[in-house]
């Protein structure tokens, strides 16, 4: 990887870490109802609110970077290559891991929480039949909705690239409207909400990157602070668009400035994580379900010492992040070494045999 791209890869690493923390929090803390110490309950609420406040800094940045990195396929690469590299490859991973998650989470719930009532139509991973699974996958009601979104976003950005500005305005309006007029499918709401960021990266990412690199924070701090104040007010009014755009700018500026000041090694932890986002994204949800169901049962039973309860409540998302990251990296190595990376990339097509004389 070229040195100049390392800071972008590190942002990807940060984003996938925030995604893992997000799922770790929402599958664990809201379901704790047998905590022994009042401070445990307070810490649990702090994690839930902290997770909520991270929303404008998580998926919008992730999607902007994702769009920026595929802009060449939008402008310069034909449909035949694009379908193979940017659509089919993601469809393969989405379909494969959709099934694997469904099988894994069904068995984990039957094992650790057989009494738990699952909303089988709300998430493909909890589907009660093949029909429910297919409907959930087609409506983005899946923990893998990010991959679903990448397919939709790329296709639409390539088809609509002649009308960038008017489409971008419509996407911005849709991103705001979906917060007040949601669709019946939670995953599809997220798809609609975040397309503006991917499109911005795919269509105008190069120009925005150059502008960001030349921007001096010492000279622009006042308008940035003013814009931030307005963005926060709108965020509390359920319009996170401006705050998300500001977070994209500030996070990119931060990582770019760090790379300019300090040498960034290719083996830097965030860079390694950023190079394996798909592996971590697809595998972490299964591990988190396993951790949360086991630990929820333990804590709600009140069998742990208070000090152990407090310690776990305080650091659980970081432990979950560490284990999920290491597992994802290990899974990618095993997949590459033993199975031709078939778990994270479609199998290579067989080349036609050459006629011999």
């Amino acid at each position: 990887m070229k040195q100049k791209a390392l800071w972008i890869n590190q942002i990807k690493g940060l984003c996938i870490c925030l995604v893992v923390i997000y799922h770790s929090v929402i599958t664990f803390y809201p379901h704790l109802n047998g905590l022994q110490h009042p401070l445990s309950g307070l810490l649990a609420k702090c994690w839930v609110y902290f997770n909520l406040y991270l929303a404008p800094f998580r998926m919008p940045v992730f999607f902007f970077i994702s769009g920026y990195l595929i802009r060449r396929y939008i402008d310069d690469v034909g449909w035949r290559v694009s379908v193979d590299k940017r659509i089919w490859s993601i469809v393969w991973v989405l379909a494969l891991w959709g099934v694997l998650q469904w099988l894994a989470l069904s068995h984990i719930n039957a094992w650790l929480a057989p009494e738990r009532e699952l909303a089988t139509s709300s998430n493909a991973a909890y589907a009660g039949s093949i029909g429910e699974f297919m409907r959930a996958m087609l409506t983005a009601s899946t923990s893998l909705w990010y991959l679903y979104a990448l397919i939709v976003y790329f296709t639409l950005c390539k088809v609509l690239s002649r009308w960038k500005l008017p489409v971008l305005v419509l996407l911005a309006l849709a991103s705001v409207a979906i917060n007040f007029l949601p669709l019946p499918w939670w995953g599809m709401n997220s798809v609609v909400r975040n397309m503006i960021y991917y499109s911005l990266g795919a269509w105008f990412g190069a120009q925005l990157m150059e502008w960001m690199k030349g921007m001096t924070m010492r000279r622009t701090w006042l308008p940035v602070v003013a814009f931030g104040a307005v963005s926060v007010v709108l965020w509390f009014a359920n319009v996170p668009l401006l705050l998300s755009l500001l977070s994209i700018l500030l996070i990119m500026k931060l990582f770019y400035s760090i790379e300019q000041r300090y040498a960034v090694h290719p083996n830097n932890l965030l860079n390694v994580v950023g190079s394996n986002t798909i592996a971590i994204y697809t595998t972490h949800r299964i591990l988190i379900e396993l951790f949360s169901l086991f630990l929820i049962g333990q804590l709600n039973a009140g069998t742990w010492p208070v000090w152990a309860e407090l310690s776990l409540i305080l650091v659980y998302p970081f432990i979950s992040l560490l284990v999920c990251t290491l597992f994802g990296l290990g899974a990618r190595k095993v997949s590459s070494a033993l199975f031709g990376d078939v778990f994270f990339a479609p199998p290579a097509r067989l080349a036609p045999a050459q006629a011999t004389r």
Side-chain angles (χ1 to χ4, degrees):
M1 180 179 297
K2 294 181 180 179
Q3 181 72 15
K4 65 181 180 181
L6 292 182
W7 67 278
I8 295 177
N9 218 46
Q10 288 187 310
I11 295 177
K12 288 175 58 184
L14 172 65
C15 290
I16 193 62
C17 288
L18 294 179
V19 169
V20 174
I21 289 176
Y22 169 76
H23 284 133
S24 300
V25 170
I26 66 170
T27 59
F28 182 61
Y29 293 101
H31 306 286
L32 297 175
N33 52 33
L35 297 176
Q36 304 174 68
H37 198 282
L39 186 56
S40 297
L42 178 61
L43 289 173
K45 289 181 179 179
C46 287
W47 269 114
V48 171
Y49 282 109
F50 177 69
N51 208 34
L52 176 65
Y53 295 145
L54 284 177
F57 305 91
R58 186 170 50 238
M59 298 313 295
V61 180
F62 211 171
F63 278 119
F64 178 86
I65 294 297
S66 299
Y68 172 76
L69 292 175
I70 57 86
R71 66 196 187 284
R72 181 175 68 88
Y73 286 90
I74 298 292
D75 298 325
D76 303 324
V77 179
W79 272 105
R80 183 174 181 178
V81 175
S82 295
V83 168
D84 184 49
K85 298 292 186 180
R86 306 310 314 173
I87 297 179
W88 163 238
S89 60
I90 301 176
V91 168
W92 170 267
V93 177
L94 174 62
L96 175 62
W97 281 97
V99 173
L100 292 177
Q101 280 195 2
W102 182 29
L103 295 175
L105 267 62
S106 298
H107 283 85
I108 290 172
N109 276 273
W111 172 35
L112 293 175
E115 74 289 347
R116 185 184 182 195
E117 293 185 6
L118 299 174
T120 57
S121 61
S122 66
N123 192 321
Y126 299 138
S129 65
I130 294 178
E132 283 186 348
F133 173 78
M134 293 300 298
R135 283 193 295 273
M137 291 295 288
L138 291 174
T139 57
S141 301
T142 168
S143 303
L144 300 168
W145 69 268
Y146 168 75
L147 299 178
Y148 180 104
L150 290 182
I151 299 168
V152 173
Y153 293 172
F154 177 80
T155 303
L156 292 180
C157 281
K158 195 165 180 65
V159 169
L160 302 174
S161 60
R162 294 183 180 180
W163 306 281
K164 297 176 182 177
L165 283 176
V167 171
L168 206 63
V169 172
L170 291 176
L171 293 177
L173 294 175
S175 181
V176 174
I178 202 67
N179 299 311
F180 302 96
L181 300 170
L183 298 170
W185 313 286
W186 61 269
M188 194 63 73
N189 291 327
S190 296
V191 171
V192 173
R193 184 179 297 111
N194 288 287
M195 186 173 176
I196 175 66
Y197 311 114
Y198 182 96
S199 303
L200 196 63
W203 288 339
F204 300 102
Q207 299 93 312
L208 291 172
M209 284 288 188
E210 290 303 314
W211 173 71
M212 177 275 298
K213 291 177 182 178
M215 185 182 71
T216 304
M217 292 300 295
R218 289 193 301 270
R219 298 178 180 176
T220 59
W221 69 269
L222 185 57
V224 168
V225 169
F227 187 87
V230 174
S231 301
V232 170
V233 171
L234 290 175
W235 181 71
F236 279 107
N238 203 24
V239 181
L241 177 61
L242 293 185
L243 187 58
S244 296
L245 292 174
L246 181 61
S247 72
I248 293 171
L249 171 65
L250 295 180
I251 289 174
M252 288 197 308
K253 187 64 177 179
L254 173 63
F255 277 81
Y256 176 73
S257 300
I258 290 174
E259 187 184 72
Q260 298 306 299
R261 182 168 297 185
Y262 306 102
V264 178
H265 196 273
N267 292 328
N268 177 280
L269 179 59
L270 274 183
N271 186 59
V272 173
V273 172
S275 300
N276 294 275
T277 54
I278 294 297
I280 297 170
Y281 180 75
T282 51
T283 58
H284 82 277
R285 187 64 182 81
I286 298 172
L287 291 176
I288 285 173
E289 190 86 358
L290 181 65
F291 300 157
S292 64
L293 288 182
F294 174 76
L295 292 172
I296 287 169
Q298 293 287 310
L299 293 183
N300 285 343
T303 57
W304 283 33
V306 173
W307 67 266
E309 176 187 276
L310 282 169
S311 299
L312 181 65
I313 296 297
L314 180 62
V315 302
Y316 171 73
F318 299 118
I319 297 174
S320 177
L321 173 61
L322 177 62
V323 175
C324 290
T325 300
L326 293 177
F327 185 88
L329 296 176
R332 188 63 187 268
K333 285 186 176 295
V334 171
S335 176
S336 299
L338 300 181
F339 306 105
D341 205 26
V342 72
F343 284 99
F344 304 105
R349 296 176 180 175
L350 295 177
Q354 297 293 325
T356 57
R357 294 182 181 179

